[in-house]
Amino acid sequence: MVMEMPQARIDSQKKRQILEIMHQVATQLLDATEERHIYRIMSHAINQILPDAFLIITKLQPDDMNFRIMENSGFDMYFNAIEKILGKDPYLMDFPFQDLTEEEREGFDNREIHHFAGGIHDLVHGRINRLICKAIESMLSVADVFAMGFCVDKKYFGGIVLFVTESLVKSGAMNEDAKLAIENIVNQSSTLIQRLRDRATLKQNEETLLNINLQIETLIENSSSGYLFEDASRKILKVNRAFCNIFNITDTDIIVGFDCKDACRKYSVLFDEPENFVNDVERLLNENKALFNQELFMLDGRVLERDFVPIIDSTITGYLWQYRDITERKLTEKKLKEQTELLHELNSTKDKFLTIMAHDLKGPFNSILGLTELLLAEYDSISEDERLSYINLLYKSSNSTYKLLENLLEWGRLQRGHIDIQQEELNLMDLINESIVPSLPNAAQKKITVVKNIENHILVKADNNSIKTIIRNLFNNAIKYTPNGGLVEFNAIRNGNSVEVSITDTGIGMSPKTISKLFKIEESQSRLGTNNESGTGLGLILCKDIINKNNGKIWVESEPGKGSVFKFSIPVN
């Protein structure tokens, strides 16, 4: 007679077996280092609890949020038949995460097994034909379908699908104890998978951060800008090669690890104002504010640009100093500015030249043409005195026009660089005598006294023709603006390596505003002389250009009604 084992004892044995399986899983998971190893441990354990069940493990793909089959248990002999029924490889099928109902997602969140009452068709949310689903269930003798998600803190990364056969249902193997055990195994596996992924992500982040740090380190080391990093206690942590080059430091070891305050004072001597450099550094540290593009000037002529940035992580952790050598840039900017000013001056010169050609030359020629036309038309009807008066006017107009043309041609040649300045040793008194002879009749006509207080032995180093042009123009101006019976006086004194020549007149003088416009082509203007003599103002501009070519200087001292003193200097040797 066969004695049947009491049900209570059978149940007790099954519980003990389940506990042993769970303990075995916990031990095995401790040694698991890969996801696939965890899947196999989990699959093997569930097969021990439900020996005839079919199991699928899916993974949620992060790029498209679709579930795809990764592992299976029990399907090997059926997969070819299932592939023929489906018309595709089950491993290549996508099951969208978005198809999950709110109830299914809640089950995932609660980490509980969910029962699909409608079987496979319910599991795939109708994406496979119902008749095909029923055919697969019939082939596998599937009675119930369960699923449980891999989820930790609402992070979904896969799940298991459990196909329970009719024999397991009849045997009562899929009871509450089995469900709780499977939930426990899946949850342990989920937690470990998440930890492995977190470790992998952390390792990847560390490697990425390390690569970024190496790239930054390389960029800093190879940068043309000089970098210095110091900590909150002002200890120098790092400098790059460019910093060492800027501050004439032969090796980084000479400065790294030292107190930045001491280094600051040591290398301040390289700047044109060492004390200001040191004080400025202390001010920036006290203000604790970032500063950019501060210009610094060095004794050797270099120009630096400095940035200062406090490094803050809730509190000050250090400071970053960046220095750039902008000497070349400043020289380029200066050259560009000079070229812009030169271009502006050339444009003004061109405009002035055209104005003179169009107006100042046209006026005198109109007078000459008018007078000659009058003489031709009325020669026999006018008296001898009138004819003499007209001829005298023609002479003055022609003489004035000739002087203007002479200055224009001289100035034009000077602008084009066609005047060759050949400096030689010349006697100053001879220069003045030869220069003023052509204009002495004009001075005599206005009864102007000309005095030359020049010593005969004074020698200067200058170009003969160009210096005569200066003296002639200044003398003509003095005559023009000095009233009848006035005085024009020449003086010269030795001043170091040059001789200072002055031409003083007792003329009408000039205001500061008028003086400020002299020697400037863009602002030059002419006033009528005391006897209504005309001019263009070009003579003084010509004088300035010539004196510059002779390495001298020219300036004027004057007050309205008190005459003027034009002075110029020329080298002795």
Side-chain angles (χ1 to χ4, degrees), residues 47 50 52-56 73-75 78 139-142 161-165 168:
N47 279 332
L50 300 173
D52 295 328
F54 297 94
L55 180 68
I56 288 176
S73 175
F75 280 98
Y78 297 100
M139 181 173 58
L140 301 175
S141 299
V142 172
V161 180
L162 195 60
F163 301 91
V164 180
T165 60
L168 286 172

Side-chain angles (χ1 to χ4, degrees), residues 265-281:
R265 185 161 293 281
K266 177 180 178 181
Y267 293 102
S268 67
V269 296
L270 297 174
F271 293 86
D272 59 353
E273 295 182 353
E275 202 59 38
N276 285 349
F277 176 80
V278 173
N279 293 337
D280 208 32
V281 168

Side-chain angles (χ1 to χ4, degrees), residues 217-229 238-252 255 267 270-271 298 302 304-305 321-326:
E217 185 84 13
T218 303
L219 283 172
I220 289 174
E221 190 58 32
N222 293 293
S223 173
S224 59
S225 297
Y227 287 91
L228 180 146
F229 296 88
K238 178 175 178 58
V239 295
N240 67 345
R241 282 179 294 182
F243 183 90
C244 293
N245 292 337
I246 290 171
F247 287 88
N248 302 328
I249 300 169
T250 55
D251 196 316
T252 57
I255 190 169
Y267 293 102
L270 297 174
F271 293 86
M298 305 188 78
R302 286 181 293 164
L304 302 184
E305 198 170 62
W321 301 87
Q322 183 182 5
Y323 291 86
R324 294 177 293 278
D325 189 334
I326 60 169

Side-chain angles (χ1 to χ4, degrees), residues 30 42 53 59 82 102 108 129 175 182 185 189 196 227 267 279 319 353 358 371 412 417 443 455 463 471 501 508 542:
L30 290 174
M42 180 171 47
K59 185 176 181 180
I82 292 172
E102 187 175 339
F108 273 27
N129 183 275
N175 53 31
I182 292 170
I185 291 168
S189 300
L196 288 177
Y227 287 91
Y267 293 102
N279 293 337
Y319 306 96
F353 188 82
L371 286 169
E455 296 178 6
D463 177 72
I471 296 170
V501 181
I508 58 177
L542 182 61

Side-chain angles (χ1 to χ4, degrees), residues 222-451:
N222 293 293
S223 173
S224 59
S225 297
Y227 287 91
L228 180 146
F229 296 88
E230 58 175 306
D231 62 18
S233 66
R234 303 220 56 203
K235 178 183 177 182
I236 298 174
L237 302 176
K238 178 175 178 58
V239 295
N240 67 345
R241 282 179 294 182
F243 183 90
C244 293
N245 292 337
I246 290 171
F247 287 88
N248 302 328
I249 300 169
T250 55
D251 196 316
T252 57
D253 293 339
I254 293 174
I255 190 169
V256 171
F258 287 87
D259 186 274
C260 195
K261 189 173 183 179
D262 294 339
C264 176
R265 185 161 293 281
K266 177 180 178 181
Y267 293 102
S268 67
V269 296
L270 297 174
F271 293 86
D272 59 353
E273 295 182 353
E275 202 59 38
N276 285 349
F277 176 80
V278 173
N279 293 337
D280 208 32
V281 168
E282 293 302 318
R283 177 183 62 80
L284 289 172
L285 290 166
N286 291 333
E287 291 178 357
N288 204 26
K289 292 180 181 178
L291 179 71
F292 300 95
N293 304 326
Q294 181 185 21
E295 288 188 3
L296 304 170
F297 300 92
M298 305 188 78
L299 279 176
D300 60 8
R302 286 181 293 164
V303 183
L304 302 184
E305 198 170 62
R306 177 170 66 189
D307 297 339
F308 167 70
V309 181
I311 302 170
I312 302 174
D313 183 10
S314 71
T315 59
I316 292 290
T317 59
Y319 306 96
L320 165 64
W321 301 87
Q322 183 182 5
Y323 291 86
R324 294 177 293 278
D325 189 334
I326 60 169
T327 309
E328 288 298 322
R329 191 182 84 193
K330 299 301 287 187
L331 289 173
T332 302
E333 287 175 358
K334 182 182 178 183
K335 187 175 181 181
L336 183 61
K337 183 180 178 183
E338 290 172 351
Q339 289 175 341
T340 302
E341 290 174 351
L342 178 61
L343 182 61
H344 178 68
E345 185 178 342
L346 289 173
N347 281 330
S348 298
T349 300
K350 177 201 70 177
D351 294 342
K352 181 66 176 178
F353 188 82
L354 291 175
T355 299
I356 293 168
M357 295 294 291
H359 180 267
D360 294 332
L361 275 177
K362 184 180 177 182
F365 275 112
N366 282 338
S367 298
I368 293 169
L369 288 170
L371 286 169
T372 53
E373 185 180 2
L374 182 63
L375 281 171
L376 283 171
E378 301 182 15
Y379 186 82
D380 294 330
S381 62
I382 60 176
S383 66
E384 188 66 29
D385 289 340
E386 286 176 316
R387 282 196 293 268
L388 189 60
S389 175
Y390 288 151
I391 292 170
N392 187 44
L393 288 173
L394 277 171
Y395 170 75
K396 286 184 177 179
S397 184
S398 300
N399 189 50
S400 174
T401 306
Y402 175 77
K403 289 178 181 177
L404 173 59
L405 274 173
E406 193 176 45
N407 278 339
L408 273 174
L409 292 171
E410 188 97 8
W411 179 64
R413 288 197 300 272
L414 193 66
Q415 295 302 311
R416 296 193 305 273
H418 289 179
I419 292 182
D420 187 17
I421 301 297
Q422 294 184 349
Q423 292 184 328
E424 55 183 314
E425 196 172 65
L426 302 169
N427 182 281
L428 181 60
M429 188 61 165
D430 292 343
L431 275 174
I432 292 173
N433 285 332
E434 293 170 12
S435 301
I436 67 174
V437 165
S439 301
L440 286 176
N442 295 334
Q445 190 177 17
K446 295 179 74 172
K447 295 182 172 57
I448 293 172
T449 303
V450 179
V451 177

